[in-house]
Amino acid sequence: MEVENPNAAMLSNYEVLKLLNEYVDEQKKTKQTRSDQNLSTITYETLKYLNETPASVQNQDSIETAVKALRPFGLTKAEKLQMINLRPTTAVEISLIIEESEERVTEEQIDDIIEIISHLPELPAEETMEEEES
Amino acid sequence: MFGLVQMCDTVKIQPWLFNVDLHDAIKVELNRRFANKVVCNVGLCICLFDILEFKDSFVFPGDGASHTKIHFRCIVFRPFIDEVVVGKIKGCSHDGVTVTLGFFDDILIPPEALQQPSKFDETEQVWVWEYETDEGTHDLFMDVSEPVRFRVVDETFTDTTPSTITATNETKQEVPYKIKAVISEPGLGLLSWWSNG
């Protein structure tokens, strides 16, 4: 086994979620009974994690719009990716994600970023989920 | 957090699978080989993403199986250094706080990387952040299964390939991929510490 490119591309949580869901659907369709244990475990556990993240309610359009809107702020790819994955709602979260945020973005710009990110679909609040369960 | 890794490997297909489409047989074999496995210095493989190229298959004398060299890409879990990730507390001990993502749980926040000042509560067996305000200190407990936001600062890969030298002392189990995290910055730690209201 050889690793040719250890960093061929970065994937957002949404993309991984979508790929794994497609994979599970395909598996159901073909009714593979002798499916691999390791693969089932990892897809199940990863899906479980991702379904609790903002990725579970996102769609391609909202992500594309947000990424386009974030362009003027000069953020790195990794920073934008975390914005999408984590959907920060407060200034303190934004400054965690942006490296050396004090020098690179102003407070007004942070407010603008929060505004852009708030257009991404929001996870339903946890309280309501618990109520539904009970 | 996730990425694609391009790899190349020779896949052996047994003769009793020759009735299956070669593409499907190789997909199953590659997933069997890599899914839920840590590849050293690459990360935790989730599953096969796509197959880029098939080389010619060949058969060795005395072996009925076919061997095909494949170039493919895998979905891999490997958070980059300085990435902020949300997980759940798995447990607390004197060594620090362990965090799980469900599919991966070798994440450790050592005591010095917790919010300061923190102390280990012996009776409850949890770490407590002694948050100081004007009215005195508030004890903020880090209970198990609470969601926690952390920053990845270091990763360690250990080659766990069995070797003849270590075969004699197999008592301690090596962890192939470990992540070291910190929560000693404003905004990091339990989500409830920083949510409004």
Side-chain angles (χ1 to χ4, degrees):
Chain A
M1 198 244 341
E2 272 171 62
V3 178
E4 291 172 327
N5 185 352
N7 211 347
M10 282 198 273
L11 294 175
S12 70
N13 285 359
Y14 166 75
E15 287 167 293
V16 176
L17 181 68
K18 197 172 144 223
L19 286 164
L20 290 180
N21 273 330
E22 276 168 17
Y23 177 80
V24 169
D25 286 346
E26 192 187 311
Q27 201 84 342
K28 270 184 200 150
K29 236 179 265 167
T30 50
K31 285 185 183 137
Q32 282 185 343
T33 42
R34 281 196 313 132
S35 89
D36 179 49
Q37 185 79 49
N38 273 325
L39 184 61
S40 320
T41 311
I42 193 79
T43 45
Y44 171 77
E45 285 176 344
T46 313
L47 277 173
K48 200 174 157 201
Y49 173 77
L50 289 175
N51 277 322
E52 289 175 14
T53 67
S56 59
V57 288
Q58 284 169 351
N59 55 58
Q60 199 168 337
D61 287 343
S62 62
I63 293 177
E64 272 174 22
T65 318
V67 171
K68 270 185 200 144
L70 285 172
R71 213 171 273 167
F73 297 98
L75 302 177
T76 65
K77 213 173 175 182
E79 285 162 351
K80 279 186 269 188
L81 182 74
Q82 291 181 81
M83 295 281 174
I84 304 297
N85 281 351
L86 299 167
R87 195 187 178 278
T89 51
T90 57
V92 67
E93 286 173 71
I94 301 273
S95 40
L96 271 179
I97 296 171
I98 305 179
E99 213 176 315
E100 290 170 17
S101 60
E102 280 157 28
E103 288 157 34
R104 289 175 49 208
V105 288
T106 62
E107 277 180 34
E108 291 81 48
Q109 282 178 314
I110 290 188
D111 290 337
D112 292 344
I113 295 175
I114 294 178
E115 170 65 20
I116 291 163
I117 299 295
S118 68
H119 291 303
L120 282 171
E122 189 181 4
L123 267 184
E126 214 169 280
E127 284 82 17
T128 54
M129 269 162 67
E130 275 166 18
E131 276 164 31
E132 275 166 28
E133 275 168 26
S134 58
Chain B
M1 196 154 74
F2 296 99
L4 289 182
V5 173
Q6 191 181 323
M7 291 190 275
C8 156
D9 206 354
T10 304
V11 176
K12 179 178 175 178
I13 299 297
Q14 296 291 358
W16 55 85
L17 289 169
F18 284 174
N19 61 332
V20 184
D21 179 59
L22 180 66
H23 190 274
D24 291 340
I26 285 175
K27 251 166 94 176
V28 170
E29 174 61 20
L30 285 173
N31 270 325
R32 192 189 64 74
R33 203 176 285 182
F34 290 105
N36 208 5
K37 301 265 179 8
V38 170
V39 177
C40 204
N41 296 323
V42 167
L44 172 68
C45 291
I46 309 288
C47 64
L48 181 71
F49 180 72
D50 61 356
I51 292 175
L52 298 170
E53 196 186 355
F54 291 85
K55 298 278 184 201
D56 291 337
S57 302
F58 48 90
V59 177
F60 290 117
D63 181 5
S66 78
H67 298 257
T68 316
K69 199 170 182 186
I70 306 292
H71 295 267
F72 60 97
R73 289 188 291 182
C74 265
I75 303 178
V76 166
F77 167 76
R78 188 186 192 183
F80 49 86
I81 302 300
D82 279 339
E83 180 165 357
V84 177
V85 182
V86 176
K88 278 182 178 163
I89 294 181
K90 189 186 168 207
C92 291
S93 74
H94 285 280
D95 300 331
V97 179
T98 47
V99 180
T100 174
L101 300 181
F103 57 96
F104 183 82
D105 46 27
D106 292 310
I107 305 168
L108 178 75
I109 309 166
E112 68 273 12
L114 295 168
Q115 292 279 5
Q116 298 301 329
S118 286
K119 67 159 197 250
F120 188 66
D121 188 323
E122 292 287 346
T123 48
E124 300 266 353
Q125 292 288 307
V126 289
W127 280 91
V128 184
W129 178 25
E130 298 172 296
Y131 180 64
E132 280 163 30
T133 59
D134 296 336
E135 296 117 53
T137 55
H138 276 283
D139 282 353
L140 297 173
F141 289 85
M142 300 189 67
D143 290 318
V144 171
S145 82
E146 285 283 337
V148 60
R149 188 188 296 123
F150 57 88
R151 185 189 292 285
V152 175
V153 287
D154 197 14
E155 56 183 9
T156 323
F157 284 98
T158 314
D159 194 351
T160 51
T161 323
S163 72
T164 45
I165 306 150
T166 53
T168 45
N169 46 13
E170 268 183 303
T171 41
K172 69 163 188 234
Q173 194 161 17
E174 295 263 23
V175 180
Y177 180 28
K178 269 188 286 195
I179 290 178
K180 191 177 145 195
V182 297
I183 56 164
S184 55
E185 286 171 55
L188 294 180
L190 263 59
L191 297 193
S192 55
W193 294 349
W194 304 99
S195 58
N196 302 326

PDB file of all heavy atoms in Angstrom, chain A residues 37-69:
ATOM      1  N   GLN A  37     -18.567  -5.925   8.589  1.00  0.00           N
ATOM      2  CA  GLN A  37     -18.829  -5.443   9.944  1.00  0.00           C
ATOM      3  C   GLN A  37     -18.180  -4.092  10.245  1.00  0.00           C
ATOM      4  O   GLN A  37     -18.837  -3.176  10.733  1.00  0.00           O
ATOM      5  CB  GLN A  37     -18.312  -6.484  10.943  1.00  0.00           C
ATOM      6  CG  GLN A  37     -18.620  -6.162  12.386  1.00  0.00           C
ATOM      7  CD  GLN A  37     -20.057  -6.502  12.736  1.00  0.00           C
ATOM      8  OE1 GLN A  37     -20.515  -7.603  12.436  1.00  0.00           O
ATOM      9  NE2 GLN A  37     -20.754  -5.584  13.355  1.00  0.00           N
ATOM     10  N   ASN A  38     -16.888  -3.982   9.897  1.00  0.00           N
ATOM     11  CA  ASN A  38     -16.166  -2.732  10.167  1.00  0.00           C
ATOM     12  C   ASN A  38     -16.793  -1.557   9.456  1.00  0.00           C
ATOM     13  O   ASN A  38     -16.945  -0.475  10.014  1.00  0.00           O
ATOM     14  CB  ASN A  38     -14.726  -2.862   9.680  1.00  0.00           C
ATOM     15  CG  ASN A  38     -13.843  -3.473  10.731  1.00  0.00           C
ATOM     16  OD1 ASN A  38     -14.031  -3.223  11.907  1.00  0.00           O
ATOM     17  ND2 ASN A  38     -12.906  -4.290  10.299  1.00  0.00           N
ATOM     18  N   LEU A  39     -17.171  -1.796   8.193  1.00  0.00           N
ATOM     19  CA  LEU A  39     -17.743  -0.731   7.390  1.00  0.00           C
ATOM     20  C   LEU A  39     -19.087  -0.295   7.968  1.00  0.00           C
ATOM     21  O   LEU A  39     -19.366   0.899   8.089  1.00  0.00           O
ATOM     22  CB  LEU A  39     -17.895  -1.217   5.945  1.00  0.00           C
ATOM     23  CG  LEU A  39     -18.390  -0.200   4.948  1.00  0.00           C
ATOM     24  CD1 LEU A  39     -17.420   0.960   4.857  1.00  0.00           C
ATOM     25  CD2 LEU A  39     -18.560  -0.845   3.581  1.00  0.00           C
ATOM     26  N   SER A  40     -19.907  -1.262   8.365  1.00  0.00           N
ATOM     27  CA  SER A  40     -21.214  -0.916   8.940  1.00  0.00           C
ATOM     28  C   SER A  40     -21.033  -0.124  10.219  1.00  0.00           C
ATOM     29  O   SER A  40     -21.735   0.852  10.466  1.00  0.00           O
ATOM     30  CB  SER A  40     -22.022  -2.171   9.248  1.00  0.00           C
ATOM     31  OG  SER A  40     -21.881  -3.102   8.252  1.00  0.00           O
ATOM     32  N   THR A  41     -20.088  -0.552  11.058  1.00  0.00           N
ATOM     33  CA  THR A  41     -19.851   0.130  12.324  1.00  0.00           C
ATOM     34  C   THR A  41     -19.454   1.579  12.087  1.00  0.00           C
ATOM     35  O   THR A  41     -20.054   2.500  12.653  1.00  0.00           O
ATOM     36  CB  THR A  41     -18.720  -0.567  13.110  1.00  0.00           C
ATOM     37  OG1 THR A  41     -18.990  -1.944  13.146  1.00  0.00           O
ATOM     38  CG2 THR A  41     -18.601  -0.012  14.500  1.00  0.00           C
ATOM     39  N   ILE A  42     -18.463   1.775  11.231  1.00  0.00           N
ATOM     40  CA  ILE A  42     -17.951   3.131  11.059  1.00  0.00           C
ATOM     41  C   ILE A  42     -18.990   4.026  10.381  1.00  0.00           C
ATOM     42  O   ILE A  42     -19.147   5.182  10.759  1.00  0.00           O
ATOM     43  CB  ILE A  42     -16.585   3.150  10.322  1.00  0.00           C
ATOM     44  CG1 ILE A  42     -15.906   4.514  10.437  1.00  0.00           C
ATOM     45  CG2 ILE A  42     -16.696   2.795   8.868  1.00  0.00           C
ATOM     46  CD1 ILE A  42     -15.215   4.772  11.720  1.00  0.00           C
ATOM     47  N   THR A  43     -19.742   3.503   9.405  1.00  0.00           N
ATOM     48  CA  THR A  43     -20.754   4.356   8.767  1.00  0.00           C
ATOM     49  C   THR A  43     -21.851   4.699   9.777  1.00  0.00           C
ATOM     50  O   THR A  43     -22.284   5.837   9.860  1.00  0.00           O
ATOM     51  CB  THR A  43     -21.382   3.712   7.515  1.00  0.00           C
ATOM     52  OG1 THR A  43     -21.701   2.376   7.805  1.00  0.00           O
ATOM     53  CG2 THR A  43     -20.459   3.771   6.332  1.00  0.00           C
ATOM     54  N   TYR A  44     -22.265   3.720  10.568  1.00  0.00           N
ATOM     55  CA  TYR A  44     -23.320   3.975  11.554  1.00  0.00           C
ATOM     56  C   TYR A  44     -22.871   5.026  12.576  1.00  0.00           C
ATOM     57  O   TYR A  44     -23.582   5.997  12.844  1.00  0.00           O
ATOM     58  CB  TYR A  44     -23.689   2.668  12.272  1.00  0.00           C
ATOM     59  CG  TYR A  44     -24.608   2.871  13.445  1.00  0.00           C
ATOM     60  CD1 TYR A  44     -25.967   3.118  13.258  1.00  0.00           C
ATOM     61  CD2 TYR A  44     -24.115   2.846  14.755  1.00  0.00           C
ATOM     62  CE1 TYR A  44     -26.818   3.321  14.330  1.00  0.00           C
ATOM     63  CE2 TYR A  44     -24.953   3.063  15.832  1.00  0.00           C
ATOM     64  CZ  TYR A  44     -26.299   3.299  15.622  1.00  0.00           C
ATOM     65  OH  TYR A  44     -27.128   3.522  16.686  1.00  0.00           O
ATOM     66  N   GLU A  45     -21.669   4.852  13.109  1.00  0.00           N
ATOM     67  CA  GLU A  45     -21.202   5.776  14.155  1.00  0.00           C
ATOM     68  C   GLU A  45     -20.929   7.175  13.608  1.00  0.00           C
ATOM     69  O   GLU A  45     -21.210   8.170  14.269  1.00  0.00           O
ATOM     70  CB  GLU A  45     -19.943   5.211  14.822  1.00  0.00           C
ATOM     71  CG  GLU A  45     -20.265   4.068  15.764  1.00  0.00           C
ATOM     72  CD  GLU A  45     -19.033   3.427  16.358  1.00  0.00           C
ATOM     73  OE1 GLU A  45     -17.936   3.648  15.828  1.00  0.00           O
ATOM     74  OE2 GLU A  45     -19.177   2.702  17.358  1.00  0.00           O
ATOM     75  N   THR A  46     -20.364   7.232  12.392  1.00  0.00           N
ATOM     76  CA  THR A  46     -20.092   8.545  11.809  1.00  0.00           C
ATOM     77  C   THR A  46     -21.397   9.263  11.493  1.00  0.00           C
ATOM     78  O   THR A  46     -21.536  10.455  11.754  1.00  0.00           O
ATOM     79  CB  THR A  46     -19.225   8.406  10.543  1.00  0.00           C
ATOM     80  OG1 THR A  46     -18.153   7.524  10.828  1.00  0.00           O
ATOM     81  CG2 THR A  46     -18.675   9.733  10.095  1.00  0.00           C
ATOM     82  N   LEU A  47     -22.374   8.528  10.948  1.00  0.00           N
ATOM     83  CA  LEU A  47     -23.672   9.139  10.662  1.00  0.00           C
ATOM     84  C   LEU A  47     -24.319   9.650  11.940  1.00  0.00           C
ATOM     85  O   LEU A  47     -24.905  10.728  11.964  1.00  0.00           O
ATOM     86  CB  LEU A  47     -24.605   8.125   9.986  1.00  0.00           C
ATOM     87  CG  LEU A  47     -24.425   7.961   8.481  1.00  0.00           C
ATOM     88  CD1 LEU A  47     -25.277   6.810   7.970  1.00  0.00           C
ATOM     89  CD2 LEU A  47     -24.796   9.250   7.757  1.00  0.00           C
ATOM     90  N   LYS A  48     -24.197   8.857  12.998  1.00  0.00           N
ATOM     91  CA  LYS A  48     -24.794   9.243  14.277  1.00  0.00           C
ATOM     92  C   LYS A  48     -24.199  10.565  14.752  1.00  0.00           C
ATOM     93  O   LYS A  48     -24.911  11.461  15.206  1.00  0.00           O
ATOM     94  CB  LYS A  48     -24.536   8.141  15.303  1.00  0.00           C
ATOM     95  CG  LYS A  48     -25.482   8.174  16.478  1.00  0.00           C
ATOM     96  CD  LYS A  48     -25.256   6.975  17.366  1.00  0.00           C
ATOM     97  CE  LYS A  48     -25.756   7.266  18.751  1.00  0.00           C
ATOM     98  NZ  LYS A  48     -25.156   6.408  19.759  1.00  0.00           N
ATOM     99  N   TYR A  49     -22.870  10.677  14.637  1.00  0.00           N
ATOM    100  CA  TYR A  49     -22.210  11.930  15.048  1.00  0.00           C
ATOM    101  C   TYR A  49     -22.649  13.084  14.158  1.00  0.00           C
ATOM    102  O   TYR A  49     -23.045  14.142  14.638  1.00  0.00           O
ATOM    103  CB  TYR A  49     -20.687  11.760  14.991  1.00  0.00           C
ATOM    104  CG  TYR A  49     -19.938  13.052  15.234  1.00  0.00           C
ATOM    105  CD1 TYR A  49     -19.807  13.572  16.515  1.00  0.00           C
ATOM    106  CD2 TYR A  49     -19.377  13.768  14.172  1.00  0.00           C
ATOM    107  CE1 TYR A  49     -19.132  14.764  16.742  1.00  0.00           C
ATOM    108  CE2 TYR A  49     -18.705  14.956  14.384  1.00  0.00           C
ATOM    109  CZ  TYR A  49     -18.589  15.456  15.670  1.00  0.00           C
ATOM    110  OH  TYR A  49     -17.932  16.633  15.882  1.00  0.00           O
ATOM    111  N   LEU A  50     -22.599  12.866  12.846  1.00  0.00           N
ATOM    112  CA  LEU A  50     -22.881  13.966  11.923  1.00  0.00           C
ATOM    113  C   LEU A  50     -24.332  14.428  12.004  1.00  0.00           C
ATOM    114  O   LEU A  50     -24.635  15.592  11.793  1.00  0.00           O
ATOM    115  CB  LEU A  50     -22.537  13.547  10.488  1.00  0.00           C
ATOM    116  CG  LEU A  50     -21.045  13.410  10.199  1.00  0.00           C
ATOM    117  CD1 LEU A  50     -20.831  12.877   8.807  1.00  0.00           C
ATOM    118  CD2 LEU A  50     -20.323  14.737  10.365  1.00  0.00           C
ATOM    119  N   ASN A  51     -25.234  13.500  12.324  1.00  0.00           N
ATOM    120  CA  ASN A  51     -26.643  13.888  12.427  1.00  0.00           C
ATOM    121  C   ASN A  51     -26.921  14.813  13.600  1.00  0.00           C
ATOM    122  O   ASN A  51     -27.979  15.419  13.677  1.00  0.00           O
ATOM    123  CB  ASN A  51     -27.533  12.650  12.503  1.00  0.00           C
ATOM    124  CG  ASN A  51     -27.822  12.107  11.125  1.00  0.00           C
ATOM    125  OD1 ASN A  51     -28.021  12.868  10.176  1.00  0.00           O
ATOM    126  ND2 ASN A  51     -27.811  10.799  10.993  1.00  0.00           N
ATOM    127  N   GLU A  52     -25.964  14.900  14.525  1.00  0.00           N
ATOM    128  CA  GLU A  52     -26.128  15.835  15.641  1.00  0.00           C
ATOM    129  C   GLU A  52     -25.429  17.166  15.379  1.00  0.00           C
ATOM    130  O   GLU A  52     -25.467  18.060  16.206  1.00  0.00           O
ATOM    131  CB  GLU A  52     -25.569  15.214  16.925  1.00  0.00           C
ATOM    132  CG  GLU A  52     -26.423  14.074  17.436  1.00  0.00           C
ATOM    133  CD  GLU A  52     -25.808  13.387  18.637  1.00  0.00           C
ATOM    134  OE1 GLU A  52     -24.875  13.947  19.238  1.00  0.00           O
ATOM    135  OE2 GLU A  52     -26.267  12.281  18.963  1.00  0.00           O
ATOM    136  N   THR A  53     -24.762  17.279  14.235  1.00  0.00           N
ATOM    137  CA  THR A  53     -24.071  18.526  13.906  1.00  0.00           C
ATOM    138  C   THR A  53     -24.938  19.347  12.948  1.00  0.00           C
ATOM    139  O   THR A  53     -25.890  18.822  12.366  1.00  0.00           O
ATOM    140  CB  THR A  53     -22.714  18.240  13.229  1.00  0.00           C
ATOM    141  OG1 THR A  53     -22.984  17.644  11.947  1.00  0.00           O
ATOM    142  CG2 THR A  53     -21.855  17.322  14.056  1.00  0.00           C
ATOM    143  N   PRO A  54     -24.596  20.643  12.772  1.00  0.00           N
ATOM    144  CA  PRO A  54     -25.379  21.475  11.856  1.00  0.00           C
ATOM    145  C   PRO A  54     -25.439  20.907  10.433  1.00  0.00           C
ATOM    146  O   PRO A  54     -26.340  21.246   9.673  1.00  0.00           O
ATOM    147  CB  PRO A  54     -24.636  22.812  11.861  1.00  0.00           C
ATOM    148  CG  PRO A  54     -23.911  22.843  13.158  1.00  0.00           C
ATOM    149  CD  PRO A  54     -23.563  21.426  13.459  1.00  0.00           C
ATOM    150  N   ALA A  55     -24.497  20.011  10.085  1.00  0.00           N
ATOM    151  CA  ALA A  55     -24.471  19.441   8.744  1.00  0.00           C
ATOM    152  C   ALA A  55     -25.778  18.740   8.395  1.00  0.00           C
ATOM    153  O   ALA A  55     -26.185  18.698   7.231  1.00  0.00           O
ATOM    154  CB  ALA A  55     -23.309  18.454   8.619  1.00  0.00           C
ATOM    155  N   SER A  56     -26.478  18.220   9.411  1.00  0.00           N
ATOM    156  CA  SER A  56     -27.677  17.425   9.151  1.00  0.00           C
ATOM    157  C   SER A  56     -28.819  18.243   8.564  1.00  0.00           C
ATOM    158  O   SER A  56     -29.732  17.689   7.972  1.00  0.00           O
ATOM    159  CB  SER A  56     -28.129  16.737  10.439  1.00  0.00           C
ATOM    160  OG  SER A  56     -28.387  17.717  11.416  1.00  0.00           O
ATOM    161  N   VAL A  57     -28.793  19.568   8.746  1.00  0.00           N
ATOM    162  CA  VAL A  57     -29.889  20.388   8.208  1.00  0.00           C
ATOM    163  C   VAL A  57     -29.423  21.259   7.042  1.00  0.00           C
ATOM    164  O   VAL A  57     -30.215  22.005   6.473  1.00  0.00           O
ATOM    165  CB  VAL A  57     -30.532  21.272   9.307  1.00  0.00           C
ATOM    166  CG1 VAL A  57     -31.362  20.422  10.261  1.00  0.00           C
ATOM    167  CG2 VAL A  57     -29.492  22.061  10.078  1.00  0.00           C
ATOM    168  N   GLN A  58     -28.128  21.155   6.692  1.00  0.00           N
ATOM    169  CA  GLN A  58     -27.618  22.009   5.625  1.00  0.00           C
ATOM    170  C   GLN A  58     -27.960  21.433   4.254  1.00  0.00           C
ATOM    171  O   GLN A  58     -28.302  20.265   4.115  1.00  0.00           O
ATOM    172  CB  GLN A  58     -26.093  22.150   5.761  1.00  0.00           C
ATOM    173  CG  GLN A  58     -25.700  23.091   6.888  1.00  0.00           C
ATOM    174  CD  GLN A  58     -24.223  23.042   7.212  1.00  0.00           C
ATOM    175  OE1 GLN A  58     -23.492  22.193   6.712  1.00  0.00           O
ATOM    176  NE2 GLN A  58     -23.789  23.935   8.077  1.00  0.00           N
ATOM    177  N   ASN A  59     -27.872  22.288   3.242  1.00  0.00           N
ATOM    178  CA  ASN A  59     -27.979  21.815   1.873  1.00  0.00           C
ATOM    179  C   ASN A  59     -26.966  22.571   1.027  1.00  0.00           C
ATOM    180  O   ASN A  59     -26.378  23.565   1.465  1.00  0.00           O
ATOM    181  CB  ASN A  59     -29.398  21.995   1.337  1.00  0.00           C
ATOM    182  CG  ASN A  59     -29.870  23.421   1.467  1.00  0.00           C
ATOM    183  OD1 ASN A  59     -29.243  24.335   0.942  1.00  0.00           O
ATOM    184  ND2 ASN A  59     -30.952  23.621   2.182  1.00  0.00           N
ATOM    185  N   GLN A  60     -26.788  22.090  -0.196  1.00  0.00           N
ATOM    186  CA  GLN A  60     -25.736  22.615  -1.049  1.00  0.00           C
ATOM    187  C   GLN A  60     -25.909  24.110  -1.312  1.00  0.00           C
ATOM    188  O   GLN A  60     -24.949  24.867  -1.277  1.00  0.00           O
ATOM    189  CB  GLN A  60     -25.726  21.832  -2.354  1.00  0.00           C
ATOM    190  CG  GLN A  60     -24.413  21.979  -3.084  1.00  0.00           C
ATOM    191  CD  GLN A  60     -24.286  20.981  -4.206  1.00  0.00           C
ATOM    192  OE1 GLN A  60     -24.938  19.936  -4.206  1.00  0.00           O
ATOM    193  NE2 GLN A  60     -23.456  21.295  -5.163  1.00  0.00           N
ATOM    194  N   ASP A  61     -27.160  24.527  -1.564  1.00  0.00           N
ATOM    195  CA  ASP A  61     -27.404  25.935  -1.904  1.00  0.00           C
ATOM    196  C   ASP A  61     -27.000  26.866  -0.767  1.00  0.00           C
ATOM    197  O   ASP A  61     -26.310  27.860  -0.982  1.00  0.00           O
ATOM    198  CB  ASP A  61     -28.881  26.159  -2.224  1.00  0.00           C
ATOM    199  CG  ASP A  61     -29.230  25.570  -3.579  1.00  0.00           C
ATOM    200  OD1 ASP A  61     -28.285  25.315  -4.345  1.00  0.00           O
ATOM    201  OD2 ASP A  61     -30.426  25.370  -3.836  1.00  0.00           O
ATOM    202  N   SER A  62     -27.414  26.518   0.459  1.00  0.00           N
ATOM    203  CA  SER A  62     -27.136  27.418   1.576  1.00  0.00           C
ATOM    204  C   SER A  62     -25.637  27.504   1.830  1.00  0.00           C
ATOM    205  O   SER A  62     -25.109  28.566   2.157  1.00  0.00           O
ATOM    206  CB  SER A  62     -27.879  26.956   2.836  1.00  0.00           C
ATOM    207  OG  SER A  62     -27.448  25.686   3.219  1.00  0.00           O
ATOM    208  N   ILE A  63     -24.923  26.375   1.653  1.00  0.00           N
ATOM    209  CA  ILE A  63     -23.477  26.382   1.861  1.00  0.00           C
ATOM    210  C   ILE A  63     -22.794  27.233   0.797  1.00  0.00           C
ATOM    211  O   ILE A  63     -21.948  28.079   1.099  1.00  0.00           O
ATOM    212  CB  ILE A  63     -22.911  24.952   1.872  1.00  0.00           C
ATOM    213  CG1 ILE A  63     -23.424  24.197   3.101  1.00  0.00           C
ATOM    214  CG2 ILE A  63     -21.383  24.962   1.868  1.00  0.00           C
ATOM    215  CD1 ILE A  63     -22.991  22.767   3.198  1.00  0.00           C
ATOM    216  N   GLU A  64     -23.212  27.041  -0.470  1.00  0.00           N
ATOM    217  CA  GLU A  64     -22.604  27.818  -1.553  1.00  0.00           C
ATOM    218  C   GLU A  64     -22.804  29.317  -1.332  1.00  0.00           C
ATOM    219  O   GLU A  64     -21.882  30.114  -1.510  1.00  0.00           O
ATOM    220  CB  GLU A  64     -23.201  27.406  -2.904  1.00  0.00           C
ATOM    221  CG  GLU A  64     -22.452  26.241  -3.513  1.00  0.00           C
ATOM    222  CD  GLU A  64     -23.108  25.718  -4.777  1.00  0.00           C
ATOM    223  OE1 GLU A  64     -23.873  26.466  -5.421  1.00  0.00           O
ATOM    224  OE2 GLU A  64     -22.859  24.551  -5.104  1.00  0.00           O
ATOM    225  N   THR A  65     -24.020  29.692  -0.930  1.00  0.00           N
ATOM    226  CA  THR A  65     -24.305  31.105  -0.684  1.00  0.00           C
ATOM    227  C   THR A  65     -23.410  31.642   0.419  1.00  0.00           C
ATOM    228  O   THR A  65     -22.823  32.724   0.295  1.00  0.00           O
ATOM    229  CB  THR A  65     -25.781  31.283  -0.263  1.00  0.00           C
ATOM    230  OG1 THR A  65     -26.581  30.451  -1.100  1.00  0.00           O
ATOM    231  CG2 THR A  65     -26.225  32.719  -0.373  1.00  0.00           C
ATOM    232  N   ALA A  66     -23.278  30.869   1.504  1.00  0.00           N
ATOM    233  CA  ALA A  66     -22.474  31.323   2.639  1.00  0.00           C
ATOM    234  C   ALA A  66     -21.008  31.455   2.243  1.00  0.00           C
ATOM    235  O   ALA A  66     -20.355  32.451   2.573  1.00  0.00           O
ATOM    236  CB  ALA A  66     -22.634  30.356   3.802  1.00  0.00           C
ATOM    237  N   VAL A  67     -20.483  30.477   1.514  1.00  0.00           N
ATOM    238  CA  VAL A  67     -19.071  30.521   1.130  1.00  0.00           C
ATOM    239  C   VAL A  67     -18.803  31.719   0.228  1.00  0.00           C
ATOM    240  O   VAL A  67     -17.799  32.420   0.374  1.00  0.00           O
ATOM    241  CB  VAL A  67     -18.650  29.197   0.450  1.00  0.00           C
ATOM    242  CG1 VAL A  67     -17.253  29.311  -0.142  1.00  0.00           C
ATOM    243  CG2 VAL A  67     -18.672  28.048   1.453  1.00  0.00           C
ATOM    244  N   LYS A  68     -19.740  31.990  -0.705  1.00  0.00           N
ATOM    245  CA  LYS A  68     -19.574  33.151  -1.581  1.00  0.00           C
ATOM    246  C   LYS A  68     -19.579  34.437  -0.770  1.00  0.00           C
ATOM    247  O   LYS A  68     -18.767  35.338  -0.996  1.00  0.00           O
ATOM    248  CB  LYS A  68     -20.696  33.187  -2.618  1.00  0.00           C
ATOM    249  CG  LYS A  68     -20.318  32.422  -3.869  1.00  0.00           C
ATOM    250  CD  LYS A  68     -21.378  32.559  -4.936  1.00  0.00           C
ATOM    251  CE  LYS A  68     -21.239  31.447  -5.953  1.00  0.00           C
ATOM    252  NZ  LYS A  68     -22.523  30.985  -6.458  1.00  0.00           N
ATOM    253  N   ALA A  69     -20.491  34.511   0.196  1.00  0.00           N
ATOM    254  CA  ALA A  69     -20.607  35.727   1.001  1.00  0.00           C
ATOM    255  C   ALA A  69     -19.396  35.930   1.899  1.00  0.00           C
ATOM    256  O   ALA A  69     -19.071  37.059   2.267  1.00  0.00           O
ATOM    257  CB  ALA A  69     -21.889  35.670   1.823  1.00  0.00           C
TER     258      ALA A  69
END
